[in-house]
Amino acid sequence: HAILAVAELLRALAEQVGSPESFVGHIGGDDFALISPQEQAEPLAREAVARFAATIPSLYDPADLARGYLMGLDRDGEPRSFPLMGLVVGGVCCTPGRFEAPDDVGRAAAAMRQRAKERGPSGYMIDRGDAALPGLGCPSPV
């Protein structure tokens, strides 16, 4: 349900906040791509994080949401607590001549996503080419 919720959220954002040139694609797992004109990068990232924080609580049992984490078994069958979901966005502005190959763009976006993830469970980081623009982390949906 969470992957579908993110897909729908991004599709709606592309239509409502983006432009006719915006494109949403599913890369795999929980990774998506939203391609848009450069000036829309921050508004789209900020709005995606905010909408996710407002939407995701509906996917949790009220007791888990109140507790702030899930209890379950890890891959080894050991009891463990798991944090509530967050949305992390890594963005890259692709000015002409900046990247040699499409894979370079993907690696740069992954690096931005990792930097945003280090800041908290939800937020964004956009590489504009001359500087990285951090988005303030949003609290977990509690």
Side-chain angles (χ1 to χ4, degrees), residues 90-94 98-99 108 112 125-133:
V92 178
C93 295
C94 300
R98 179 166 180 216
F99 296 102
M112 289 295 99
M125 182 76 67
I126 300 170
D127 180 345
R128 294 194 176 279
D130 55 352
L133 177 64

Side-chain angles (χ1 to χ4, degrees), residues 33-45:
L34 195 162
I35 301 168
S36 70
Q38 181 172 332
E39 63 274 4
Q40 294 172 344
E42 185 177 8
L44 284 166

Side-chain angles (χ1 to χ4, degrees), residues 16-114:
Q16 297 164 5
V17 179
S19 67
E21 296 87 23
S22 296
F23 168 82
V24 176
H26 182 228
I27 296 171
D30 61 356
D31 291 332
F32 289 85
L34 195 162
I35 301 168
S36 70
Q38 181 172 332
E39 63 274 4
Q40 294 172 344
E42 185 177 8
L44 284 166
R46 183 177 48 248
E47 188 66 17
V49 171
R51 288 187 188 190
F52 185 82
T55 301
I56 208 63
S58 67
L59 299 177
Y60 285 106
D61 179 88
D64 294 331
L65 193 59
R67 186 173 49 245
Y69 60 90
L70 300 171
M71 287 302 300
L73 300 177
D74 66 15
R75 291 181 178 148
D76 297 324
E78 297 295 321
R80 182 174 159 217
S81 63
F82 295 91
L84 299 178
M85 290 181 278
L87 181 71
V88 178
V89 177
V92 178
C93 295
C94 300
T95 54
R98 179 166 180 216
F99 296 102
E100 291 183 24
D103 286 347
D104 296 339
V105 178
R107 280 190 286 280
M112 289 295 99
R113 184 173 153 252
Q114 183 58 39

